[in-house]
Amino acid sequence: MSNKPATTTSVTEQGPIDHSIELGHGNSPAAWTCVAIMLIGTVVGCIAFVMGESATILFWIGVGIIGLGLIAGLAMKAAGYGVGGSKLKNTGH
């Protein structure tokens, strides 16, 4: 066993952490739409999973809905509805 401490990198080697920077956390119409559609797909997939082998197609439909949610979120982000997007900037009107 080694006598070295468990952590080899410290915060001081990388510099101090600036907690004043706003991260955004994806709080945008694109993110909310993406998550809402993916949640519907997850519910469909879970219901199909509980139903058993007879609902295999329904399970894959749920997986497809999850994929559509990702595509919808990316499309909305590209259209300017993501964090810091052009459609969300306050123009003073």
Side-chain angles (χ1 to χ4, degrees):
M1 290 186 47
S2 174
N3 290 332
K4 292 181 181 179
T7 57
T8 56
T9 34
S10 66
V11 177
T12 56
E13 290 176 9
Q14 300 170 355
I17 298 173
D18 185 8
H19 293 284
S20 66
I21 298 172
E22 179 64 34
L23 298 177
H25 296 287
N27 198 5
S28 67
W32 282 100
T33 302
C34 176
V35 169
I37 294 172
M38 292 174 110
L39 181 62
I40 292 168
T42 302
V43 169
V44 169
C46 287
I47 290 170
F49 189 78
V50 170
M51 290 173 63
E53 289 184 30
S54 62
T56 303
I57 293 175
L58 186 61
F59 172 79
W60 287 109
I61 290 172
V63 171
I65 293 172
I66 292 171
L68 289 175
L70 180 62
I71 291 169
L74 291 173
M76 287 183 71
K77 180 181 175 185
Y81 290 100
V83 173
S86 62
K87 303 284 184 176
L88 300 179
K89 292 186 178 172
N90 188 359
T91 60
H93 290 88

